[in-house]
Amino acid sequence: MWLLIFSENYGYKKIRIMGPLIPQGLIIGQWDFVIALLIGMAFGFILEASGFSSSRNIAGVFYGYNFVVLRVFFMALVVAMIGLLYFDYFGWINMDLVYVLPTFLPSMILGGVIMGFGFIIGGFCPGTSFTAAAIGKLDGFVFIGGVFIGIFLFGEGFPLFEEFYTAGALGNITIGEVIGMSNQMVTLGVTIVALVAFWGTWLIEKRVRKNIKLFKF
Amino acid sequence: MISETHNEKRPNYLNPYFGGLLLGLLLLAVFFLAGRGLSATGALKLSIATVENIIAPGHVENSTYWSKFIPEDGSSPLFNWLVFAGLGTFFGGLISGAVYGRLGKLRVEHSPKINAKTRLVAAGIGGILFGIGSQFGRGCSSGAALSGTAAFSFGGLLVLMLMFGVGYVVAYFFRKLWI
């Protein structure tokens, strides 16, 4: 990606920049916080506008009457993955500087299981509960309160399970490195799974909704 | 307490595939700008660290967990990308609610089979579980499952599959809360 800059000594000059910008110190003067606020706002807007401010809408994914979660989630995942591959291919982003969430096997397995229960019982995830609270849903506020308590309990109990928390560290390992495939093949796989899921859930939803007269969301 | 259990009109939501496309492009933009994805629980975690640091600074200093989040230069942990993004998420939801006419009085949305109080208790329990789980999982649905997986992280995919997988496995036992 090219950028035109002006300096007193050299006049206009074309320089080449690569993302990510903030980790390389290319955004200064705490503009990054303004950007963070705007990105957060876009995130909240998209979540609410897609229907994630309703817990019954979200929970529909587990009972077959509404697969909006699956559609939005998989679509976003596929778009971001393919986009990253293209950005990398065009030399717009330095993938070495993109944060790959590190893997800690036992701890993350437990975390995923606990969040699965939290999802089906609470009907929100933290991001969606913000937007639910924002439009006046008391259950959204209570959910956020719960998350506060949960994180607090975790932090206070941390010495008890510190060893477990850091056990099985595999580092910043990618999906491809685990199954022996390139990022491109992984993306292709995820895309195929997503397309099949879009089609399959469309069929299921049609059948389940046949008997529903009132919208449950 | 105002209850919301039925809705006769089809709600005015974005087409989910279009919403997903927007979310994916946003995620891509965040990767380009910040080199890391979206997060929701980060803001809450840093708020707790901040409050605890004010009430009991000694306790935070001695805690191997909380002390990680207190900047060494003495600035507030709240002066952080995650906090601004978290605040933005709330306001973004507010704007969308205003645009689409979904802003309303404080109300509880629940299945007709349960009362509002049951729903609130369930929401609280779900929140607590998400709070604990997101710390073990190194992120919640946004940070680990979505952003982690999009950046090809194995751990992200693991959290994604377990979160939805467990949801499906136990959905039967919690059906009364929803259908």
Side-chain angles (χ1 to χ4, degrees):
Chain A
M1 213 167 269
W2 298 91
L3 192 73
L4 203 61
I5 56 158
F6 178 78
S7 77
E8 294 273 327
N9 299 330
Y10 304 103
Y12 284 103
K13 205 176 171 196
K14 224 165 99 174
I15 57 158
R16 199 187 162 124
I17 54 158
M18 241 179 148
L21 304 182
I22 292 171
Q24 298 178 87
L26 290 172
I27 291 176
I28 51 166
Q30 281 160 353
W31 275 98
D32 50 342
F33 291 135
V34 179
I35 294 171
L37 190 70
L38 292 175
I39 282 172
M41 286 172 79
F43 185 41
F45 190 97
I46 296 168
L47 290 181
E48 207 289 327
S50 302
F52 287 176
S53 55
S54 159
S55 58
R56 297 176 77 207
N57 224 357
I58 295 174
V61 71
F62 294 114
Y63 301 100
Y65 63 83
N66 192 339
F67 283 101
V68 61
V69 170
L70 181 137
R71 288 179 188 133
V72 173
F73 196 97
F74 263 110
M75 191 72 190
L77 192 59
V78 167
V79 168
M81 276 179 145
I82 295 176
L84 272 181
L85 289 182
Y86 270 106
F87 273 40
D88 185 30
Y89 180 72
F90 293 140
W92 291 353
I93 197 165
N94 182 355
M95 285 301 281
D96 294 336
L97 296 178
V98 172
Y99 178 70
V100 176
L101 191 75
T103 301
F104 300 85
L105 268 186
S107 171
M108 284 170 101
I109 290 173
L110 180 69
V113 170
I114 295 176
M115 283 191 275
F117 275 94
F119 210 172
I120 195 79
I121 297 172
F124 288 122
C125 60
T128 56
S129 69
F130 291 175
T131 65
I135 65 161
K137 300 254 173 92
L138 195 54
D139 36 336
F141 279 107
V142 172
F143 188 95
I144 296 174
V147 179
F148 267 120
I149 297 171
I151 299 175
F152 175 76
L153 292 176
F154 177 91
E156 293 309 306
F158 189 66
L160 300 174
F161 39 71
E162 191 169 355
E163 249 173 70
F164 176 81
Y165 179 75
T166 47
L170 301 180
N172 307 75
I173 194 168
T174 62
I175 303 162
E177 281 162 3
V178 173
I179 56 175
M181 269 191 208
S182 65
N183 283 347
Q184 284 84 345
M185 289 309 285
V186 170
T187 305
L188 181 67
V190 172
T191 309
I192 292 171
V193 170
L195 290 175
V196 171
F198 291 156
W199 177 72
T201 54
W202 174 70
L203 290 180
I204 296 171
E205 198 180 77
K206 230 174 30 171
R207 185 171 292 185
V208 173
R209 277 196 184 178
K210 221 190 274 174
N211 305 318
I212 292 180
K213 292 192 181 66
L214 291 162
F215 290 97
K216 292 189 171 188
F217 23 79
Chain B
M1 217 177 302
I2 304 173
S3 283
E4 222 178 57
T5 53
H6 290 93
N7 192 357
E8 302 202 8
K9 270 192 284 177
R10 180 180 276 273
N12 184 19
Y13 293 131
L14 287 183
N15 175 304
Y17 298 109
F18 180 64
L21 173 72
L22 291 181
L23 186 57
L25 293 176
L26 176 70
L27 190 54
L28 193 58
V30 183
F31 277 125
F32 180 74
L33 289 164
R36 55 191 307 161
L38 298 156
S39 160
T41 34
L44 302 181
K45 182 176 73 185
L46 292 170
S47 317
I48 299 172
T50 309
V51 173
E52 276 204 62
N53 198 31
I54 293 168
I55 299 173
H59 172 67
V60 169
E61 212 172 300
N62 292 327
S63 159
T64 43
Y65 194 66
W66 298 120
S67 59
K68 280 191 291 188
F69 309 120
I70 310 296
E72 281 174 13
D73 59 6
S75 62
S76 168
L78 290 180
F79 212 52
N80 186 295
W81 165 280
L82 299 175
V83 175
F84 287 85
L87 277 174
T89 308
F90 185 88
F91 287 116
L94 192 71
I95 295 169
S96 169
V99 169
Y100 292 99
R102 282 191 286 270
L103 283 188
K105 283 186 191 153
L106 269 188
R107 59 204 187 274
V108 182
E109 187 199 14
H110 59 90
S111 152
K113 289 199 185 131
I114 57 170
N115 59 27
K117 207 176 135 199
T118 312
R119 166 65 191 137
L120 290 181
V121 171
I125 295 172
I128 293 173
L129 291 174
F130 242 107
I132 298 170
S134 64
Q135 301 312 297
F136 278 113
R138 265 72 173 179
C140 59
S141 340
S142 330
L146 181 62
S147 309
T149 312
F152 307 102
S153 157
F154 175 68
L157 183 68
L158 194 67
V159 169
L160 163 65
M161 294 199 300
L162 282 166
M163 195 191 299
F164 282 102
V166 168
Y168 276 106
V169 169
V170 299
Y172 178 80
F173 304 102
F174 297 105
R175 65 190 184 283
K176 263 207 170 155
L177 291 174
W178 306 109
I179 53 172

